Amino acid sequence: MPEPDLEAPPTATLPDLPTPIPAIPAPPPSHQLPSGIDTSNPSVAVSPIAVTASTALGGNTAPKTIDGDPASRWESAHQDDQWIQFDFGAKAAIGSMKLTWENAYGKEYSIRVSDDEQTWYQLRHVAGAKGGSEEYLNLNSNVRYVRIHGVKRATQYGYSLFEVSFKSPGSDNTLVAKVTPSLTPFPANGDQLAPPSAQQPPLEGIQFSLPDGTLVTRYAQVGRSRHGRERGEEWNEIGYGPNDTVDAAGNPVDKGPGAYLNFVAQYFDGRSWGVEIIDDSRVAGVTKPTLKVNQYFQQAQKAGGHSFFRAVDRPGVTGFGWMSPGQLLNPSLYQMDAAVCAVQPKPPEGRLANASGLNDGCSVSLDNYPGHSELSPDANGVLAPNGRSVPARALKIGDVIEVTMSFFSTPEAMAAAGNKGTGHRYYTNELTYVVGSGLRPQYGVQPRLMNAMLPEETWQGGLGSISYDYADNSEFMFQQPHNHIGMQNMQRFLDGRRWFHTNMRTGDHNETGNERNQAAVGLQGDHFTAETCFKCHHNNGRGMAPLVVNQRLDTMVVRTAQSDGSGRQLPHPAYGAVVQMNAKPSSSAVRTDWGTAVRVAGFDVKSVTLADGTTVQLSKPKLAFDGPTPDVYSLRSAQPVIGMGLLEAIPDADIIARVRNAADADGVKGTANYVYDPETGSVRLGRFGWKASKATLRHQTALAALQDLSVTSPIYPNRDCLFGPANCKTGKVEPGISEETLTLLTRYVALLGVPAQRSVVSGFPKGVAPLAYLDVNPTQIAAGSKVFDAAKCSGCHVREMTTGTGSELAEVRTQKIRPYTDLLLHDMGPELADNLIEGQATGSMWRTSALWGIGYTEYVAGQDFKVGYLHDSRARSLTEAILWHGGEATTSRQSFEQLGTQDREALLSFLKSL
């Protein structure tokens, strides 16, 4: 059967960063509109009396930008550092400015104002401009001169402007408060904490036993592009084929990733299916166990496409290759070049669809460990066939089987099922099944990355922990479902993922090849920070860190508040609870900037010297607001979204049990935050968000949709909810995501798995360069784990918890997890304080961040996407993050500062393994 077409991994769109230039101060009050100016009427034109420029080519002079002729233009010299300046003759109140560019537009420029042509102030800085028509609103300026100063051209030509026009401040271009902010109440304590919900059956089961002991495991697959051990470089054992992972000198080579963990085009449209393994190995009296395998596709399939046991006895077969296809119940179906395997209804919960275990002729049985060549070291030390054979034998409890299925449908069958897109043949996940136990997270051992079950102590996300990745697909490691995700939950996961990646204005998917989500078109409000969830949670990890002066911080969130006369913090009257930094284009496709962006104004820098003499520079971003500066604000980085269903499943009582009424000998206390459920009003334990101010994933998801995407939901029915709960209860309803979509998004996040800890050595073949994030030193990691405990880091970053049975998802029930958090608030000292209060969380209190996955942070982000640590991403490394710790973490930080080089490196190695 020919190979399926290769699906290329999607290309990430990186935010545009400004060119590093000296910071220019914002306009002082003398250059802003005087208080009390009337903006209740529509704006009117304001005309400059003169226009000058740094240069002009030919007859394309600066005054042509205000001559009213749409065909005339100003053209600068073919250099970046050029400007055009508008003189109003005297101070003029300016509310907006519109630019119409020729094809040679400014890709980066700043808008500056002055009263004397000597001292200039910056109104806006634009990076990554797209040309065409751009309008800058809410300028809040009372100035004589306005200058557009070029920083970077979009073409090799000069800057070319057709028209520039100005308007006075008015109701159509000035940001004004629309509603009266109201207080968001928090409970004073947890005295009225709602009891746990009554336990319900899960959405679907993933494993059960029949009365006779037969073990039934049910899980799901989704189409994949390639095999699990195919990276961007060819790799083979010495003497058995090409090895492109190293150059002639033996140095590592990186030719890019494989295509195993990315999601194929139209992945959400019928490209998932269920698998059932019926295992009688624990049935009394069974001496020759049999696995019976049924598949539950959403459309008819060709027969076959299932494989068991990797062919590790063949040194030339490294990326894939299998020992056994199992036994098809009707072997003649192999010869059929048609979709002869009909759709089977999903099996009933807790029992088999067919008493025999095999549903139809397309079902498969496996009853032996296949015969294979015996292996011995050859002259190069490679385990290779020695001429002897190992005969086939019966399966036994504990046998480790790598199992993979394939999606082999036909265009006709896909069309008949209503599935769109051209793909109809795919690979899928390569999973490890342990006879008598079920699916287990796996890693690769010798020979040739043979699959083996990972030790239980590496299962950070419990039984569903994500296996090691040998396809060099680290950017997708935070995007995988639990390893043992249920048959139908996989489709729920994929449908939710589609929404997570959907532009809430256009409905477009941010990965190519996926049809538009028509239900999302036009859901976004006029002002927003991000168009998709994925923009801030880059690759489901963190957003871009503050790196350079003038950088827009719209891959992060800026929380805002204003104090009233009683000292209470209310949402800001202009912004609400958050600054929404971007605006949708006008009806005439003019890109609009409402002056609500928050930017990097500079950095506060200090140095810390460690005990061994190492000096570490710490850097904290300073913020500048294009609009009014709030009394209180807090820069917040998006957190990784992995494992959130597991965190939600931890019983309240287990979290609250760790609360201390007084600090211990090391100064550690721990405080629970409590919130009101926004739908029922009941008191709930807060556990999500930087200050644990959200109780549930549903609450967190709906609030993020409102605040970040400007999308309403059944919980927050209108955008006035940004200004407090009183504005939510007016009966006003604006179109937004439905209850079904909110549920899909919530379940998607809940079903995201956690990568297993990378603390054991993988069996990379001799001469093959290990992938960097799997090239580990177990001895150093184990030593670092002891240092972690000795420094009392585990006092807050609690190693182990066990989830309860209350979740609707069987995948997250009764799992021993290693999140490295207590989900409690801790006072982290004044240097990390933001002064924003959320319930029990004062300005210096933060919820302990989960550390699972932290070692993957930079790999998930990708080479060109720079992320940081802590709530505002100020820390550029784990070392910096630790050195910012204060308050209750002071003792731990001081212990870190006093570590010797070897112990410090061991601790960092341990953290990077998580």
Side-chain angles (χ1 to χ4, degrees):
M1 192 173 284
E3 295 266 300
D5 293 335
L6 172 66
E7 294 273 357
T11 302
T13 301
L14 301 176
D16 292 287
L17 289 177
T19 301
I21 59 175
I24 299 173
S30 62
H31 287 56
Q32 299 175 15
L33 296 176
S35 61
I37 190 169
D38 183 11
T39 60
S40 61
N41 296 312
S43 61
V44 297
V46 179
S47 300
I49 64 167
V51 189
T52 56
S54 53
T55 59
L57 296 185
N60 299 320
T61 59
K64 292 191 174 182
T65 58
I66 61 170
D67 65 0
D69 182 354
S72 66
R73 62 190 177 96
W74 164 67
E75 181 185 2
S76 78
H78 298 179
Q79 299 170 348
D80 284 331
D81 189 20
Q82 299 293 300
W83 53 263
I84 184 170
Q85 179 177 305
F86 302 87
D87 179 4
F88 294 91
K91 273 183 172 290
I94 301 171
S96 62
M97 176 180 70
K98 182 179 178 181
L99 310 179
T100 303
W101 295 92
E102 201 251 353
N103 290 336
Y105 61 90
K107 186 174 183 179
E108 183 179 355
Y109 55 91
S110 66
I111 303 171
R112 304 174 183 178
V113 295
S114 175
D115 276 347
D116 59 8
E117 293 187 280
Q118 300 299 315
T119 304
W120 291 91
Y121 302 98
Q122 181 172 286
L123 274 183
R124 308 282 165 86
H125 190 96
V126 184
K130 303 294 190 295
S133 292
E134 300 171 325
E135 189 167 21
Y136 296 91
L137 309 170
N138 202 45
L139 291 179
N140 188 34
S141 295
N142 189 33
V143 296
R144 176 172 176 177
Y145 300 100
V146 176
R147 176 180 286 188
I148 303 168
H149 195 113
V151 177
K152 187 183 296 181
R153 294 163 293 151
T155 71
Q156 72 270 34
Y157 303 106
Y159 300 101
S160 184
L161 270 168
F162 284 128
E163 288 290 312
V164 179
S165 60
F166 300 86
K167 288 187 176 182
S168 66
S171 57
D172 53 348
N173 65 13
T174 303
L175 192 68
V176 295
K178 296 180 180 179
V179 296
T180 301
S182 66
L183 182 71
T184 300
F186 284 87
N189 51 53
D191 289 349
Q192 302 299 317
L193 184 67
S197 301
Q199 184 171 328
Q200 300 292 329
L203 285 177
E204 63 173 340
I206 54 177
Q207 193 174 60
F208 63 93
S209 293
L210 297 176
D212 66 355
T214 297
L215 182 68
V216 181
T217 300
R218 290 172 175 169
Y219 64 95
Q221 299 277 38
V222 63
R224 301 291 191 181
S225 296
R226 297 299 300 175
H227 293 288
R229 295 173 185 80
E230 291 182 352
R231 54 203 268 192
E233 309 85 45
E234 290 289 331
W235 61 271
N236 279 287
E237 297 272 15
I238 296 174
Y240 294 92
N243 174 23
D244 295 339
T245 69
V246 294
D247 60 20
N251 298 313
V253 173
D254 183 1
K255 293 184 177 180
Y260 171 60
L261 293 180
N262 60 294
F263 290 79
V264 299
Q266 292 291 115
Y267 60 87
F268 46 82
D269 193 7
R271 286 158 174 85
S272 72
W273 68 100
V275 181
E276 178 181 56
I277 299 178
I278 303 166
D279 177 349
D280 64 2
S281 62
R282 295 191 182 275
V283 174
V286 170
T287 58
K288 294 182 178 181
T290 297
L291 304 184
K292 298 176 181 178
V293 183
N294 298 305
Q295 298 190 69
Y296 297 87
F297 289 93
Q298 299 184 52
Q299 61 291 107
Q301 297 276 319
K302 293 184 178 181
H306 27 71
S307 301
F308 306 90
F309 299 102
R310 278 192 73 235
V312 292
D313 61 338
R314 286 175 260 164
V317 177
T318 50
F320 59 101
W322 305 92
M323 286 188 184
S324 173
Q327 296 88 43
L328 204 63
L329 186 60
N330 182 355
S332 68
L333 297 178
Y334 277 123
Q335 312 305 318
M336 302 290 190
D337 190 23
V340 295
C341 299
V343 174
Q344 291 286 337
K346 292 293 188 295
E349 284 293 323
R351 55 192 179 88
L352 302 180
N354 189 301
S356 71
L358 297 173
N359 289 348
D360 61 12
C362 294
S363 297
V364 178
S365 62
L366 180 74
D367 60 7
N368 69 83
Y369 199 112
H372 55 281
S373 300
E374 186 180 84
L375 304 178
S376 298
D378 67 7
N380 292 316
V382 174
L383 289 172
N386 58 21
R388 297 188 294 272
S389 296
V390 177
R393 61 166 174 79
L395 294 177
K396 64 178 186 293
I397 291 175
D399 273 344
V400 177
I401 303 173
E402 183 156 357
V403 54
T404 186
M405 306 298 173
S406 298
F407 186 108
F408 285 161
S409 189
T410 65
E412 296 77 15
M414 293 290 282
N419 304 134
K420 298 179 181 178
T422 58
H424 61 279
R425 305 177 65 199
Y426 306 100
Y427 304 110
T428 192
N429 299 75
E430 294 162 17
L431 302 174
T432 291
Y433 183 86
V434 178
V435 176
S437 299
L439 295 179
R440 294 293 183 268
Q442 64 99 7
Y443 74 120
V445 297
Q446 282 281 13
R448 289 166 285 284
L449 294 175
M450 173 68 163
N451 67 305
M453 185 179 76
L454 274 166
E456 188 173 347
E457 60 268 21
T458 68
W459 299 357
Q460 295 191 116
L463 190 58
S465 297
I466 311 304
S467 300
Y468 286 6
D469 159 44
Y470 296 103
D472 199 9
N473 285 161
S474 58
E475 292 182 34
F476 289 90
M477 282 302 289
F478 285 1
Q479 300 181 49
Q480 305 307 310
H482 292 291
N483 190 63
H484 59 344
I485 188 170
M487 288 184 177
Q488 297 173 83
N489 279 345
M490 175 68 91
Q491 187 59 50
R492 295 179 177 113
F493 173 89
L494 298 175
D495 289 339
R497 183 184 190 273
R498 181 191 188 188
W499 277 97
F500 201 85
H501 288 248
T502 290
N503 185 306
M504 293 294 188
R505 178 172 59 85
T506 67
D508 293 331
H509 199 291
N510 73 330
E511 296 168 329
T512 59
N514 296 297
E515 67 176 334
R516 175 172 291 171
N517 187 347
Q518 293 293 343
V521 175
L523 292 186
Q524 191 161 58
D526 292 342
H527 302 276
F528 55 90
T529 292
E531 298 90 347
T532 72
C533 304
F534 208 66
K535 180 179 179 181
C536 293
H537 298 283
H538 179 71
N539 291 340
N540 283 9
R542 292 172 167 84
M544 180 169 276
L547 301 171
V548 63
V549 171
N550 285 319
Q551 177 183 345
R552 282 174 72 100
L553 294 171
D554 60 354
T555 63
M556 302 176 73
V557 172
V558 178
R559 294 287 312 277
T560 56
Q562 197 88 349
S563 298
D564 67 6
S566 303
R568 301 180 307 169
Q569 292 183 358
L570 303 177
H572 188 271
Y575 300 128
V578 298
V579 181
Q580 294 182 324
M581 303 185 203
N582 296 307
K584 71 179 183 181
S586 70
S587 57
S588 56
V590 177
R591 281 179 290 277
T592 55
D593 181 323
W594 270 89
T596 55
V598 185
R599 307 173 186 279
V600 177
F603 297 89
D604 290 326
V605 178
K606 68 174 184 176
S607 294
V608 175
T609 301
L610 306 180
D612 65 356
T614 300
T615 299
V616 181
Q617 187 183 74
L618 303 182
S619 175
K620 174 184 176 181
K622 296 185 291 186
L623 304 190
F625 289 75
D626 284 355
T629 300
D631 289 353
V632 179
Y633 56 86
S634 178
L635 179 62
R636 306 277 179 91
S637 175
Q639 301 184 67
V641 290
I642 57 174
M644 295 182 75
L646 293 164
L647 296 180
E648 187 173 44
I650 299 170
D652 288 353
D654 291 1
I655 298 170
I656 295 171
R658 298 182 184 277
V659 172
R660 301 183 181 96
N661 293 323
D664 65 12
D666 298 307
V668 178
K669 184 179 178 183
T671 301
N673 206 358
Y674 296 97
V675 304
Y676 289 113
D677 188 301
E679 294 179 278
T680 67
S682 60
V683 177
R684 303 291 299 274
L685 176 70
R687 64 179 75 202
F688 296 114
W690 281 105
K691 297 205 174 193
S693 59
K694 273 77 72 177
T696 64
L697 286 181
R698 178 179 169 85
H699 182 187
Q700 169 83 11
T701 301
L703 193 58
L706 175 70
Q707 293 183 343
D708 306 340
L709 304 176
S710 189
V711 173
T712 64
S713 67
I715 299 181
Y716 300 104
N718 62 68
R719 293 179 182 86
D720 292 346
C721 295
L722 283 169
F723 296 87
N727 298 292
C728 256
K729 299 174 182 177
T730 60
K732 179 181 177 182
V733 176
E734 296 174 309
I737 57 173
S738 65
E739 176 63 36
E740 178 186 14
T741 298
L742 178 58
T743 300
L744 285 173
L745 278 166
T746 302
R747 287 173 175 166
Y748 166 69
V749 173
L751 286 164
L752 282 165
V754 178
Q757 183 185 11
R758 289 158 293 118
S759 55
V760 294
V761 174
S762 297
F764 284 97
K766 292 193 66 175
V768 174
L771 295 169
Y773 49 89
L774 293 175
D775 190 9
V776 302
N777 182 335
T779 302
Q780 186 182 46
I781 291 170
S785 178
K786 294 179 180 178
V787 175
F788 184 84
D789 287 339
K792 307 296 179 64
C793 301
S794 53
C796 301
H797 294 286
V798 173
R799 286 178 179 267
E800 290 186 2
M801 291 187 177
T802 300
T803 63
T805 58
S807 173
E808 67 173 359
L809 304 174
E811 293 87 342
V812 304
R813 291 185 174 191
T814 58
Q815 296 294 309
K816 180 186 286 187
I817 60 175
R818 295 165 178 83
Y820 296 90
T821 177
D822 58 6
L823 294 177
L824 294 177
L825 299 169
H826 293 273
D827 190 324
M828 298 300 290
E831 290 201 279
L832 284 177
D834 66 352
N835 299 321
L836 187 68
I837 299 171
E838 297 181 66
Q840 303 297 314
T842 64
S844 58
M845 295 178 78
W846 301 95
R847 189 205 70 167
T848 304
S849 293
L851 297 184
W852 54 13
I854 198 167
Y856 260 119
T857 297
E858 294 179 7
Y859 296 109
V860 166
Q863 187 172 7
D864 298 321
F865 194 96
K866 304 303 180 186
V867 296
Y869 304 88
L870 302 177
H871 70 276
D872 55 4
S873 289
R874 69 177 68 180
R876 295 161 293 185
S877 67
L878 294 177
T879 295
E880 289 185 34
I882 297 168
L883 292 175
W884 277 110
H885 280 48
E888 295 179 37
T890 299
T891 299
S892 294
R893 187 202 70 233
Q894 292 172 340
S895 296
F896 178 78
E897 291 173 341
Q898 295 304 312
L899 291 175
T901 305
Q902 183 174 349
D903 282 345
R904 186 175 70 248
E905 291 303 317
L907 174 61
L908 295 173
S909 179
F910 166 69
L911 292 175
K912 291 175 182 177
S913 76
L914 299 181

